[in-house]
């Protein structure tokens, strides 16, 4: 058997590499030489394949943990690269559930065909062993099937207008006046009920669905903003939209955004793009997209500040116009002196460098008063209003207040 310590192993001409029925520890890639894959049929060896440099063999048994299903013999002096079980299993474990499901189904079909082939030769043992091993995949399969169903429902929702946008007020803390909204997407499904964006935005990001969802969300947000600005007071209402990393990864995001905003005759200064730090970590392209948004005149908001890395360097390298202090931080503040001191410092520092501050997740009057005393510019949270449908948001705009 191959030596696990070295990545290569030499076999002389005629030397067996793999024996049918053996436990599998490794797969191989041929560096040079030639290998015959063969099996017994009616008591005679039948060659299934002859492989040369660059070709891979022995992978099936290490993927499925089943015994070897064929023999491999070097037909000339052969040098092989050894691929260990861990190399394969760690990759499989980190791969997408659905890909794993499809992979397992194909593998099962293949092994069943091989079993039929072997059964003809009177060897039934192998087949029984396969059943036991393949049983391990079932839990994973169910999760994967659920995921496919969930994704299909989301696809249908995107196609058939099953998504909704709601709006959460952002108020000026000084006088509690309504100043803008954050647009938040909702999915109401007949099977799954109301699904939180946290649960489906991630799935949408794993597929290409984030693109149509993002575009639809921006179009809707702009359409409503036009009406809000028309019905609102002198001071124009603004709209914050969330841009995920995958949305920004699409090259034409800034162009798409300006295209939609222009088509609605809106000024980009009233459409603010919320990003999180995680988007830009080690991502040059996202940085470029964010700069392009700023160049088009869109204010850029750093969301969830206080979580993650909270690196102050992004306040220098990114064109941030507003900082949004995360709700977890805001909610600590009432009972934690240090949290309060940090918020105070962040507000002070932001003011010095000309950045506005929004505190999100304000649920109590006490939290609001602390933030007002700290001279934080804006607030958002259940105390003022939960995210509401467009008609209610419109009513708030007309009254210039969240109290309706
Ligand atoms: P986020 O950007 O941090 O949005 C704020 C979330 O906090 C919203 O949850 C909002 O309903 C919730 N929230 C607001 N006030 C309070 C409060 O006082 N207390 C508490 N406990 N929560 C409050 P939601 O709507 O479930 O959205 C969750 C996340 O999903 C958002 O977090 C955002 O990251 C993402 N998301 C929502 N809509 C979109 C979208 O259109 N596009 C993208 N890419 N992501 C979105
Ligand atoms: Ca946000
Ligand atoms: Ca946030």
């Amino acid at each position: 058997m191959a030596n696990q310590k070295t990545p290569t192993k030499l076999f002389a001409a005629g030397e067996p590499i793999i024996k049918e029925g053996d436990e599998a520890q490794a797969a191989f890639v041929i560096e040079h030489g030639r290998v015959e894959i063969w099996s017994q049929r009616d008591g005679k060896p039948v060659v299934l394949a002859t492989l040369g440099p660059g070709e891979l063999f022995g992978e099936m048994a290490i993927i499925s943990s089943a015994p070897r299903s064929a023999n491999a013999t070097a037909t000339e002096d052969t040098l092989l690269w050894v691929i260990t079980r861990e190399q394969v299993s760690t990759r499989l474990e980190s791969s997408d559930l659905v890909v794993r499901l499809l992979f397992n189904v194909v593998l099962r079909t293949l092994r069943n065909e091989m079993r039929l082939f072997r059964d003809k030769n009177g060897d039934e043992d192998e087949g029984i062993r396969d059943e036991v091993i393949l049983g391990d995949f079932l839990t994973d399969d169910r999760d994967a099937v659920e995921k496919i169903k969930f994704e299909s429902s989301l696809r249908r929702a995107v196609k058939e207008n099953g998504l909704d946008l709601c709006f959460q007020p952002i108020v000026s803390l000084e006088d509690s006046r309504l100043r803008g909204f954050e647009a938040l997407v909702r999915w109401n499904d007949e099977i799954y009920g109301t699904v939180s964006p946290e649960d489906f935005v991630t799935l949408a990001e794993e597929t290409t669905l984030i693109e149509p969802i993002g575009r639809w969300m921006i179009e809707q947000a702009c359409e409503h903003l036009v009406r809000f600005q028309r019905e609102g007071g002198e001071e124009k209402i603004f709209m914050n939209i969330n841009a995920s990393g995958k949305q920004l990864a699409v090259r034409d995001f800034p162009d798409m955004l300006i295209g939609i905003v222009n088509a609605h005759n809106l000024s980009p200064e009233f459409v603010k793009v919320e990003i999180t730090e995680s988007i830009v970590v080690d991502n040059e392209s996202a940085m470029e997209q964010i700069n392009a948004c700023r160049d088009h005149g869109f204010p850029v908001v750093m969301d969830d500040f206080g979580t993650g890395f909270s690196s102050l360097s992004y306040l220098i390298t990114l064109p941030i116009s507003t900082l949004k202090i995360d709700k977890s931080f805001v909610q600590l503040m009432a009972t934690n002196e240090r949290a309060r001191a940090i918020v105070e410092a962040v507000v002070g520092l932001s003011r010095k460098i000309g950045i506005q501050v929004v505190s999100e997740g304000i649920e109590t009057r006490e939290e609001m008063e602390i933030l007002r005393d700290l001279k934080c510019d804006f607030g958002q949270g259940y105390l003022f209003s939960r995210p509401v449908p467009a008609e209610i948001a419109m009513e708030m705009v007309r009254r210039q207040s969240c109290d309706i």
Side-chain angles (χ1 to χ4, degrees):
M1 201 45 246
N3 179 352
Q4 297 289 316
K5 287 200 187 76
T6 55
T8 56
K9 169 98 177 145
L10 196 61
F11 289 84
E15 197 179 338
I17 304 165
I18 283 176
K19 282 209 191 90
E20 198 168 337
D22 275 2
E23 197 182 306
Q25 295 302 337
F28 306 94
V29 174
I30 304 170
E31 173 67 19
H32 62 73
R34 202 148 281 279
V35 172
E36 226 168 56
I37 310 293
W38 59 278
S39 194
Q40 291 284 353
R41 194 177 208 169
D42 299 330
K44 282 189 222 118
V46 177
V47 175
L48 304 171
T50 305
L51 308 175
E55 289 187 285
L56 170 79
F57 67 97
E59 75 293 351
M60 217 154 101
I62 61 166
I63 290 166
S64 70
S65 310
R68 296 292 193 193
S69 54
N71 302 284
T73 305
T75 54
E76 41 187 83
D77 289 352
T78 297
L79 184 67
L80 300 177
W81 283 92
V82 180
I83 299 164
T84 62
R85 183 186 286 280
E86 297 87 82
Q87 278 176 280
V88 176
S89 58
T90 47
R91 282 188 167 78
L92 273 181
E93 277 155 25
S94 62
S95 71
D96 185 89
L97 265 186
V98 177
V99 173
R100 236 149 64 204
L101 168 73
L102 297 176
F103 194 76
N104 286 335
V105 170
V106 171
L107 204 64
R108 241 173 274 177
T109 312
L110 256 172
R111 295 201 77 93
N112 276 339
E113 277 172 11
M114 286 188 161
R115 189 169 60 200
L116 286 175
F117 171 79
R118 263 191 246 108
D119 286 352
K120 275 198 208 135
N121 296 287
D123 182 2
E124 278 159 26
D125 261 22
E126 301 284 329
I128 293 161
R129 270 201 263 168
D130 272 2
E131 292 289 354
V132 175
I133 289 148
L134 291 174
D136 293 349
F137 289 125
L138 287 178
T139 330
D140 240 19
D141 283 1
R142 269 195 293 271
D143 291 348
V145 169
E146 275 312 309
K147 191 171 172 183
I148 288 188
K149 280 162 51 185
F150 192 61
E151 189 194 323
S152 301
S153 303
L154 180 58
R155 276 186 194 279
R156 196 187 50 211
V158 171
K159 233 165 113 187
E160 296 173 7
N161 261 327
L163 295 181
D164 239 336
L165 208 56
C166 61
F167 303 91
Q168 188 175 30
I170 298 173
V171 304
S172 153
L173 282 178
E174 199 189 353
D175 53 13
S176 293
R177 273 197 18 237
L178 174 70
R179 298 293 303 280
F181 292 99
E182 176 175 4
L184 294 159
V185 68
R186 293 283 175 269
W187 173 23
N188 297 308
D189 183 78
E190 50 190 43
I191 301 169
Y192 298 104
T194 305
V195 189
S196 155
E198 267 152 349
D199 294 329
F200 73 86
V201 168
T202 319
L203 177 71
E205 285 187 326
E206 282 173 21
T207 63
T208 51
L209 279 175
I210 194 68
E211 252 184 86
I213 293 178
R215 179 185 291 272
W216 171 86
M217 188 270 296
I218 292 166
E219 271 165 357
Q220 289 289 307
C222 287
E223 217 173 290
H224 289 294
L225 182 58
V226 170
R227 295 174 47 227
F228 295 160
Q229 289 195 341
R230 201 188 301 137
E231 302 276 325
E234 200 91 317
E235 202 159 26
K236 283 191 173 167
I237 293 287
F238 60 78
M239 183 73 75
N240 284 22
I241 58 159
N242 289 282
S244 75
K246 286 280 157 59
Q247 274 173 284
L248 277 174
V250 179
R251 281 249 144 244
D252 67 352
F253 179 83
D255 292 337
M256 178 210 20
L257 188 58
I258 193 72
I260 297 173
V261 166
N262 284 341
H264 286 84
N265 275 325
L266 285 163
S267 163
E269 72 184 287
F270 298 107
V271 179
K272 307 190 184 190
V273 182
E274 293 197 9
I275 57 158
T276 56
E277 270 171 308
S278 58
I279 289 180
V280 282
V281 176
D282 293 331
N283 190 342
E284 272 299 315
S285 153
M287 287 259 193
E288 283 167 24
Q289 307 299 302
I290 292 165
N291 279 314
C293 286
R294 179 67 265 190
D295 292 344
H296 281 308
F298 296 106
V300 178
V301 181
M302 175 71 82
D303 202 358
D304 301 341
F305 194 81
T307 64
F309 300 98
S310 296
S311 163
L312 294 177
S313 68
Y314 288 124
L315 300 183
I316 299 170
T317 52
L318 286 174
I320 304 294
S321 71
T322 307
L323 209 154
K324 229 174 169 182
I325 300 180
D326 188 65
K327 50 180 170 287
S328 59
F329 224 78
V330 169
Q331 283 158 11
L332 257 182
M333 227 178 34
T335 52
N336 186 312
E337 270 300 314
R338 285 191 183 186
R340 191 177 161 154
I342 291 171
V343 173
E344 185 170 8
V346 169
V347 173
L349 173 129
S350 301
R351 172 141 305 119
K352 269 224 165 86
I353 56 178
I355 289 179
Q356 292 188 316
V357 182
V358 182
S359 289
E360 67 176 3
I362 303 176
E363 292 184 358
T364 67
R365 187 153 277 283
E366 189 188 2
E367 286 159 2
M368 181 197 71
E369 275 158 9
I370 296 171
L371 289 159
R372 183 184 286 159
D373 290 347
L374 295 180
K375 303 266 180 297
C376 175
D377 306 282
F378 299 106
Q380 180 181 353
Y382 294 167
L383 175 70
F384 307 106
S385 167
R386 292 191 172 242
V388 293
E391 316 82 73
I392 298 182
M394 183 57 127
E395 201 46 43
M396 291 175 174
V397 170
R398 288 198 183 108
R399 296 180 187 213
Q400 294 185 40
S401 158
C402 300
D403 304 316
I404 55 164

